[in-house]
Every structure is written in structure tokens, then in C-alpha cells.
Amino acid sequence: MKKLLLAATVATLAMNAAQAAPTLYGKLNVTLDQIDKNGFKDESVTKVNSNASRIGVKGEEKLTDNLSAVYLVEWGVSADGAGSDTDWGMRNRFVGIKSDGIGTLKVGQYDSYLKTAAGNNQDIYNDHTELDMTKVLAGEERLSNVIGFETDKKLLGGLAFNIMFQQGEESSTVKNDAKGQKGSRDSFGDGVSTSITYENKDFGLAAAVAGNFGVAAKYNAWDKELGGLKVYSDSIRVTGSLDLTPAGADGLVFGALWQTSKPTDDTVVVGVAPAAVSFKGLQEDAYGVTAAYVIPSTPIKLKAEYISATTERNGQKDRQNDLYGIGADYNINKQARFYGVVAQQKIDWQKDNNKKTVFGLGMEYNF
């Protein structure tokens, strides 16, 4: 009887071992930042920032020879115990079905395809609390209540198509004219995010064209006047990067981004007179360029960025928001790096205290 019980136990453990175990992953990214004109006010402050630190669980489980279940659940972590990052704040999470060589269907909440069209080669300060390009550009959104599909990059030789549909889940009586979109968001695909991406490692080329349609976005230049309102908007983004290593310039990479955003419907006035603010004619046009260079035979990577957004609105003077600076990484290995940043953000619609300067030293560890 004992032998039979032992055999059953071993068989059960073997069956469980055959299933793919979930992968625990995460990133801790902490900086010590000295900020002059903090918040574009006449003040300086020293901060310890947790820069989009996170922890998550992901996995893939075979269902048939060609189909697999995929899942991911990710939470924010406040590595410094305070600030903009909230412990266990909801980040990306989804469940889906993957067909080998064809694509993946996902359901849940995750980054829009407009957002993921830009990577580190378009934003050298990605995830930095003070300097991420979210401070300049509209469209950096994570969408909830979505169903999305992504083709496998191998299916079309490096070309991939991605699309997600967001459900507003509102009552049909709700109207969004004061938020940039006429009518109610009570149907399938009230918001859409899509992209076409291409990657060719032999030539060091990566490019993407992406769009958000009917997706809520923040316009930094008019955020105060709009009372922090996110406006349902249409955005188009084009990104590209070129790694010149295949051409003999080892470690040299250039990146670029261009985008335009405006409300989905040119509708109405926000607020009540006399404090009303119209966003008729609201439009943001932006571009950015980056460069990175890994010094040969060293763990040091040098980076530089310039990104600019100009926002217009009927009857108002255009507003410009610029971010520029440099950075250096000391890569210990693929998991850990020390880094430094020096950058400045300038806004032209404020006469005084219109330049925020950041000096930062940080460490990032991926697991």
C-alpha cells in the first residue's frame, strides 16, 4: 500500500512538473534627483524617486500542439515608499490565446499600441518620474477593458500588425461632447489602438506607424486650464531607429519620433462661464530625436535626446514644451546598471520659473 501511494505521489508531481511554471519578474529603478524649479515653481528639492518600479507574474501553457494560454499580471511598486508610484497599483494584465506562428489574442488592460510603438530608442528617459516623455507628449496611455490581437513577427518576415478595441462600458444616456467625443461610449470599440511595426536586425532597422482613435489623452500644455481633463483624441505616431553596427559603426544608434494629436470630435466648451475653457481647434504636434553610443570595449553607454511638442487652440497663442538632455549608463550585466542623467524641460507659456532642471543618479535592477 505504501509503495502504491508513493508511486501515485511521484506520478502526480511528474504531471505538475510537465506544466510550465509561472515566471516571476520585475524591475527596481531608483534615482536620487536634484531638481531646480521643481514643478516649475521657485523652489529646489532633492528627491528619491521610484521610476515605474514593478513586479509581475507571467506565463505560457501549452493547450494543444499549436495553441497556448498566455497570461500576465503586473503591479507597480513604490521602491522609495512614497511619490508617484503606488504599491500594488494596477499596470498591465491580460489573459489570452497564442497560436504559434500566427498571433496572440489578449483580453484585459495593457499599454496602447501607440505607446509601445516608441521604445528606449525614442525616449532615453523612459520610466523616469521627472523626465519620461509623458511629460511632453499626449498618447502615452494604458487602456482598460480591451480586446487585442497581435500577429507573430515571424509570420510576415519582421512585419507585424496589432490592434486593440476598448469598450467604454457607459450608460447610453452619458454624453461625452465635453470630453472630445460625441455621444456615449457604450459599444464595442469605442476606442481603438493599432500599429504596424517592422524590424530587420540584419540592417539594424526598426520602424512603426501607430494610431489611437477615441482614446483619452492628456495635453500637457493646457492641462491646468482643462482641469486635468483627459480628452478623447485621435493620435498618429511614426517612430524609427537605426543601429549602425551592421554598417561598421559599432554601438551607434539613432532614433526618431513624430506624432500629431487632436480631439476625436471638434466639439464644445469645458466648464461653465465665466471660467469656461474651449478646446475647439486643440492640436498637438511633436517630434523627437535621440542618439546613443556604446564606447567600444567598455560597459559605458552615452545617450542624448531632444523632444518638442507645440500645442495650438483656437484664439490662443501656441504653446511649446521642450525636453532635452544627456545620460550615461554603466552596464554591469544584462540585469543591472548604474546611470546618470542631466536634463532640462522648458515651457514657453510661463514667464518666470519656466525651466525645470534635473540632475540624477540611479540604479536599475531587472529580475
Side-chain angles (χ1 to χ4, degrees):
M1 184 65 181
K2 290 182 179 180
K3 291 182 179 180
L4 182 61
L5 183 60
L6 178 62
T9 302
V10 172
T12 300
L13 291 174
M15 289 175 64
N16 289 337
Q19 295 180 336
T23 299
L24 177 68
Y25 72 95
K27 176 170 74 172
L28 296 176
N29 185 349
V30 180
T31 51
L32 177 64
D33 297 312
Q34 178 61 39
I35 307 169
D36 183 42
K37 305 301 180 184
N38 178 53
F40 298 101
K41 300 176 182 177
D42 189 17
E43 65 177 36
S44 296
V45 65
T46 302
K47 293 183 180 180
V48 174
N49 280 319
S50 170
N51 304 291
S53 295
R54 67 201 67 165
I55 189 170
V57 178
K58 61 183 178 180
E60 181 176 329
E61 187 69 46
K62 276 286 187 182
L63 301 177
T64 69
D65 289 342
N66 297 317
L67 292 178
S68 301
V70 293
Y71 58 91
L72 180 148
V73 183
E74 187 177 279
W75 298 270
V77 175
S78 178
D80 60 341
S84 60
D85 294 311
T86 303
D87 272 340
W88 307 115
M90 292 193 300
R91 290 178 56 87
N92 293 329
R93 61 264 325 276
F94 61 80
V95 64
I97 294 290
K98 176 181 177 182
S99 178
D100 291 344
I102 297 178
T104 304
L105 180 70
K106 298 178 179 178
V107 181
Q109 168 184 281
Y110 55 100
D111 290 339
S112 74
Y113 293 125
L114 184 104
K115 181 179 181 180
T116 57
N120 291 332
N121 288 325
Q122 285 76 38
D123 185 12
I124 68 169
Y125 303 121
N126 185 39
D127 285 341
H128 194 285
T129 297
E130 302 292 336
L131 301 173
D132 188 286
M133 70 180 185
T134 305
K135 299 290 184 180
V136 179
L137 297 178
E140 293 286 283
E141 307 296 338
R142 178 177 298 120
L143 305 188
S144 58
N145 304 319
V146 297
I147 298 174
F149 180 75
E150 307 167 3
T151 62
D152 192 312
K153 292 181 180 180
K154 298 177 183 178
L155 180 65
L156 299 172
L159 188 69
F161 175 72
N162 314 297
I163 189 166
M164 68 166 68
F165 301 93
Q166 182 185 39
Q167 284 52 253
E169 300 187 355
E170 292 179 345
S171 166
S172 58
T173 61
V174 175
K175 304 301 178 186
N176 291 285
D177 296 54
K179 298 180 182 179
Q181 189 174 30
K182 294 180 179 178
S184 174
R185 292 171 62 89
D186 61 351
S187 305
F188 178 82
D190 295 307
V192 176
S193 182
T194 186
S195 69
I196 298 175
T197 65
Y198 178 72
E199 185 175 3
N200 189 319
K201 293 183 179 180
D202 292 336
F203 292 97
L205 176 66
V209 179
N212 277 356
F213 305 96
V215 172
K218 175 182 177 181
Y219 291 81
N220 290 282
W222 291 101
D223 184 55
K224 183 177 180 180
E225 288 78 1
L226 294 175
L229 176 73
K230 284 191 173 184
V231 181
Y232 291 120
S233 301
D234 295 347
S235 303
I236 300 294
R237 173 177 290 181
V238 180
T239 67
S241 65
L242 184 62
D243 186 341
L244 294 178
T245 298
D250 290 357
L252 181 60
V253 181
F254 293 103
L257 174 150
W258 172 88
Q259 80 169 42
T260 184
S261 302
K262 63 180 182 179
T264 300
D265 296 312
D266 200 10
T267 54
V268 294
V269 171
V270 178
V272 179
V277 177
S278 171
F279 54 71
K280 286 187 71 68
L282 181 65
Q283 180 169 321
E284 177 191 278
D285 296 307
Y287 70 92
V289 290
T290 65
Y293 179 62
V294 178
I295 300 176
S297 303
T298 75
I300 299 173
K301 182 178 183 179
L302 305 177
K303 303 181 290 187
E305 173 179 297
Y306 175 74
I307 189 166
S308 178
T310 300
T311 310
E312 59 185 65
R313 187 165 64 92
N314 285 0
Q316 302 292 329
K317 184 180 179 181
D318 293 356
R319 293 184 170 187
Q320 187 166 328
N321 191 349
D322 294 332
L323 176 64
Y324 40 85
I326 58 175
D329 295 348
Y330 187 93
N331 294 292
I332 301 172
N333 53 35
K334 291 183 178 180
Q335 290 178 286
R337 68 175 175 125
F338 293 106
Y339 66 97
V341 294
V342 179
Q344 188 171 77
Q345 184 181 0
K346 180 182 178 181
I347 57 176
D348 73 350
W349 60 88
Q350 190 166 295
K351 182 178 179 181
D352 299 316
N353 304 318
N354 58 8
K355 295 180 181 179
K356 180 181 77 172
T357 305
V358 179
F359 298 88
L361 294 174
M363 179 180 178
E364 177 182 294
Y365 185 79
N366 295 271
F367 59 90

